[in-house]
Structure formats: structure tokens, C-alpha cells
Amino acid sequence: IIGLFDAYKKAFFLPLSVYKIEEVELTNLDSKFWIKDSVYTSDISFNKENSQPNIIILVPDGLPARLIPGYYKGKKQYSAVYENFGDLTPNIDKMMEKSLVIDNYYNHTAATYPGLTGMFSSSYPARGIYYNELKRMINGERKKSSFSSLFDILRINGYKSYFVTTDGDDTLLPYIFNEILHVDKTYSPTNFDIIHKNHQNYSRLTDNDIFTAVKNIFENENSDEPKIVTAYFVGTHLNIEPTEFGGIGYKDKKNMFLNAMHNFDNELGMFLSWFNNSKFAENTIIILSTDHTHFPDTEYRHLLKEHKELAKDFKPVFCDKIPFIIYNAKNLPSYYDAKSKTSLYFTPTLLHILGYKNYRNAFIAGSLWDNDESEYYLYTEGIINTLCINNGKIYNYDECKDKKEVKDKFLQITQYQMLELEGLLFDGNYIVK
């Protein structure tokens, strides 16, 4: 049995070289043409009481919406999906019954580092914020990225932010959340004993450990400020078998990823049981989403080939529908069709729900409820691999690159990445004059 970190490292740390962004002309920089004075434009109001709920954001790695049975209610595939997989994620399905369920929502980039950075800053990080690039920032070989961040705007409004991750300082994920996204406190294997002294003795933290840490933050932090706690789980990462680390399997336990999803769901169920019986349920919302979809490896493609009810509009690329579920919130609808919008919209949408509108920012996208006449949304891995998402289908870039809308969006992404590389993307001033 290999260690958890060895499995993670084998799946994640691929050899990466610095790659160049296609050069475009940057003019009129003094005008800061890329800066907006509003997070969103919609007049719809959700937080009419001006409340400040605590926020828990659960981010299991690589979780695809197409394997969550709750996303099939009311659809043609419903019966077949529930017959074959109705017991795969029963706790997520139950959670969805008391949530705003956002459907037809896609990841905008991959993999974990750009995915997490992008969802919390509404951006496509230049060169992907990969490990080598982070080391260059730390060593002063390139300027530190200067995104506008969800956590900055919430701090202005009195929130204290926390990030809990299975990854230690050696992976540099804590650096991203501390130095680039500006979270107040980060807990990782380096300092995890502060909030969970009795965690299991694996080289990386299990899903159970992470859920326990989130509970402990709420139970032991005595500050009066509203909290936002983001938790990243590695148990669903590619090539990790949870049954080797105290987790449970699914049915015959032969499919590693189904085991991982079922194990995460089991841990989620125990967490929700604690939450619903705690005092925090009165004023806390829980969001379940992911950093990106599951990588289309051989095992995953075989599963979808075997169960065609799960494979509608599937394309074997690193882009697909992902979950966006908001639980225990007030004044929200029960369902919203994102119509192929992506995780670029995550941060502006959450700020819209909370009512934080008038702040300067460099977000590329707005709220899901903004009037948006776009037909095409882009997925891109640092400009290396770009795809177009239109009406629930994914197209290769060559099939859509001549559309003016696509050209304009691609140019915007390239401009933003050049600005980011020079440390010019955002100046840290969120206040509208």
C-alpha cells in the first residue's frame, strides 16, 4: 500500500515547464480599462435583511456533477441513474432537496491550483499558478500575482477567513491562499494539530480529518466576526483509493473513483448531521462545489461507456458540468440553470447572494443572474488548451475561434494574464470613489 501523499504526488506533480503567453498589445494602461466598479449588475436582491451568515465552502477535488444522482431529478435519465447509482451519493442528494441547485455549470480551467485560484478570483491565472511558477514568485523571479479576491471583499465587511487543506507547505497550496488570495488563517499538515490533535496518522489529511477541522473551527473560535471557512479535500483526487486510508468503498469496491465519491458523501452525511443539530445552523450557509471536474482517465471513460445514462453530451476533456449547491440559505430559489456558464462566476455570484455589489475588482465574470447575452463560454488551461462551451455542449477551439464573441473573450483572457504576470492586474483598492 502506498502512502496517501505518494498517490497524490504520482497523480498530480507532473513535469511542468514555463510556457509563454501569446503576446498582445497592452495600451491605455493608465485608464485601467479592465477594472470594474461593480461586482455584479443585476437588480435582484437576495439578502434583504442585510444579514452576515457564516459561510462554509466544501471543495472536494475533481467532483463531476454527472455522477451525482440528484442532478437527474426531472430528467429523462432519472430512472436509469437511480436504478444503478441511487445509493452513490445519498447525502449530497438529500442536501440538494434543501438547497439552491445550480445546473449546467462548468469548470472554467484545470487543474487544482488554477481551479481554486480562479474560482475565488474570477480569473484565469497566468501559466496556471503551477508549482514552478509559485516557486518563481517566492524566489522573486516574477512578480506576485495581484488578483482581486472573494476573501478581501468579505474582510472589508467584517468576515474572518479560514482555509483548511490536506496539503502541506511543500505543495505551496497554503501559499496560494495566504499570499495570493489573502485568507486570514490557513490550516494544513504543518499546523493542523492546533485544530485537530487526534487526526489520523497519514502523511496527508483524510476527508474525515478535514470535516473534523471545520467543526473545530466553529466550536473553538470564540471571535464574534462572521466566518468563511473553505475546505479542500483530496480524497476524491485522481488515483487515490480511500479504502486504503480508513474510508469506505462503493458496492463491490472495484471502481476507485466511485469509492472516493461514496466515501466523501458518507463523511458529508456525518458532518451535516452535526451541523443541523448545532447552533450554527441558524445562520450558516454551506456551499458544495469543486476545483474542476474529474480527469477523463481510462477508468472514468469506461464507466460512462458502460452506463450511457450518465454520458449525455460527455466529451473526454478536462471540462464538464460540476456541482454548485448552496445549502441552508434564505431567500434563494431551489433551482437555477447556469446555461453553460462557468466557475468564473462563483465569486461574483456568492457576493451577489450576500449583497456586496459596489466594489472595485478585476473579476472577469459577474453574477449568474446578470443579464448576459453570451452564447459561448471559454475553458482554457493557460491558453494551452482552449474549449468553447455552448448550450450544454463542448467544442474544440478550432470550431468556434472565428466567432467575434470568442475572439474578444480570448483576447481579454490574454490581456489579463499579461497584466497578472507584471503584477498590474489589481492594486488592492476595492473602494469606489
Side-chain angles (χ1 to χ4, degrees):
I1 298 176
I2 61 174
L4 181 58
F5 180 54
D6 291 334
Y8 180 65
K9 183 167 61 175
K10 178 181 177 182
F12 189 81
F13 287 109
L14 305 176
L16 297 168
S17 59
V18 174
Y19 56 85
K20 294 183 178 179
I21 293 173
E22 179 181 338
E23 294 291 331
V24 297
E25 186 176 3
L26 287 176
T27 59
N28 198 22
L29 294 183
D30 291 340
S31 72
K32 295 189 181 295
F33 61 87
W34 61 94
I35 300 293
K36 301 184 292 185
D37 285 341
S38 180
V39 174
Y40 57 93
T41 59
S42 172
D43 292 328
I44 298 172
S45 176
F46 297 106
N47 191 4
K48 297 177 182 178
E49 299 87 0
N50 294 317
S51 63
Q52 290 187 300
N54 297 309
I55 304 161
I56 300 171
I57 303 176
L58 306 176
V59 187
D61 187 280
L63 192 70
R66 71 173 56 248
L67 292 191
I68 298 174
Y71 267 102
Y72 290 89
K73 284 197 171 182
K75 299 181 180 180
K76 290 181 179 179
Q77 307 101 308
Y78 175 84
S79 295
V81 169
Y82 271 84
E83 180 180 350
N84 291 309
F85 297 99
D87 57 351
L88 177 60
T89 58
N91 294 297
I92 296 177
D93 295 351
K94 187 176 180 181
M95 177 186 186
M96 293 170 77
E97 294 173 359
K98 296 182 179 180
S99 299
L100 163 57
V101 176
I102 296 170
D103 200 2
N104 298 312
Y105 171 81
Y106 290 75
N107 60 302
H108 77 283
T109 189
T112 296
Y113 289 8
L116 289 172
T117 306
M119 72 184 285
F120 293 116
S121 63
S122 186
S123 65
Y124 293 92
R127 296 180 182 148
I129 301 291
Y130 286 121
Y131 183 85
N132 290 348
E133 287 299 301
L134 294 168
K135 292 293 286 187
R136 293 180 70 226
M137 290 182 205
I138 293 170
N139 295 332
E141 297 170 10
R142 64 163 279 196
K143 294 182 179 179
K144 187 188 297 184
S145 299
S146 56
F147 301 108
S148 45
S149 163
L150 167 67
F151 306 107
D152 280 338
I153 293 178
L154 291 182
R155 182 182 301 105
I156 292 169
N157 288 280
Y159 277 81
K160 189 167 185 179
S161 57
Y162 304 79
F163 177 58
V164 184
T165 175
T166 187
D167 296 316
D169 291 343
D170 52 342
T171 70
L172 301 184
L173 192 56
Y175 176 85
I176 290 177
F177 276 82
N178 284 328
E179 300 296 329
I180 295 175
L181 294 174
H182 309 140
V183 165
D184 294 320
K185 283 189 176 182
T186 294
Y187 293 107
S188 68
T190 306
N191 62 348
F192 202 67
D193 286 349
I194 296 173
I195 52 172
H196 186 12
K197 296 184 183 301
N198 301 316
H199 64 89
Q200 301 179 58
N201 191 27
Y202 295 124
S203 56
R204 277 299 179 271
L205 305 172
T206 65
D207 292 352
N208 180 274
D209 291 331
I210 300 297
F211 275 119
T212 301
V214 174
K215 288 190 289 186
N216 289 346
I217 289 172
F218 274 84
E219 291 178 338
N220 299 330
E221 279 280 350
N222 296 318
S223 61
D224 293 330
E225 306 107 316
K227 302 176 181 63
I228 176 168
V229 181
T230 302
Y232 168 66
F233 303 79
V234 77
T236 49
H237 194 283
L238 182 70
N239 290 342
I240 289 183
E241 174 54 75
T243 62
E244 295 180 356
F245 309 101
I248 65 170
Y250 180 65
K251 291 185 177 177
D252 61 11
K253 302 182 182 181
K254 291 182 178 179
N255 186 294
M256 187 185 303
F257 187 61
L258 295 183
N259 291 342
M261 284 190 64
H262 191 57
N263 181 67
F264 173 82
D265 182 84
N266 181 62
E267 298 292 348
L268 173 67
M270 290 187 284
F271 176 78
L272 290 178
S273 178
W274 163 82
F275 173 78
N276 290 327
N277 290 288
S278 74
K279 63 182 180 181
F280 309 110
E282 296 178 9
N283 190 37
T284 302
I285 63 175
I286 298 177
I287 298 173
L288 175 64
S289 194
T290 188
D291 50 352
H292 52 74
T293 191
H294 186 65
F295 183 77
D297 63 342
T298 301
E299 182 182 54
Y300 188 55
R301 294 198 309 271
H302 178 75
L303 175 71
L304 296 181
K305 185 177 180 180
E306 195 174 68
H307 296 277
K308 297 188 183 302
E309 69 273 17
L310 298 173
K312 181 182 177 184
D313 295 326
F314 173 72
K315 192 166 186 174
V317 294
F318 212 172
C319 177
D320 201 1
K321 295 175 185 177
I322 58 174
F324 190 174
I325 300 165
I326 305 175
Y327 177 75
N328 203 45
K330 299 175 182 177
N331 303 316
L332 294 181
S334 60
Y335 179 87
Y336 188 79
D337 187 347
K339 298 179 179 178
S340 302
K341 291 178 183 174
T342 70
S343 46
L344 279 178
Y345 289 77
F346 180 90
T347 284
T349 295
L350 177 53
L351 291 171
H352 182 186
I353 289 169
L354 297 171
Y356 299 135
K357 182 175 185 178
N358 297 315
Y359 293 91
R360 292 177 73 249
N361 66 87
F363 300 150
I364 291 181
S367 165
L368 289 173
W369 281 274
D370 287 348
N371 289 326
D372 189 340
E373 301 302 323
S374 295
E375 293 184 5
Y376 288 87
Y377 299 92
L378 297 190
Y379 162 93
T380 181
E381 298 171 52
I383 311 296
I384 285 181
N385 179 30
T386 300
L387 302 165
C388 297
I389 312 164
N390 173 264
N391 194 29
K393 294 185 179 181
I394 297 172
Y395 299 90
N396 293 328
Y397 187 61
D398 286 344
E399 298 176 83
C400 60
K401 66 181 182 181
D402 294 329
K403 304 275 186 184
K404 183 180 185 303
E405 173 189 353
V406 172
K407 287 180 178 179
D408 290 346
K409 287 188 174 183
F410 191 85
L411 174 62
Q412 181 189 30
I413 294 167
T414 306
Q415 289 175 325
Y416 269 57
Q417 293 196 335
M418 291 183 66
L419 289 163
E420 185 219 321
L421 285 172
E422 296 301 320
L424 298 173
L425 186 57
F426 192 67
D427 57 12
N429 178 17
Y430 292 89
I431 306 304
V432 179
K433 294 181 180 179

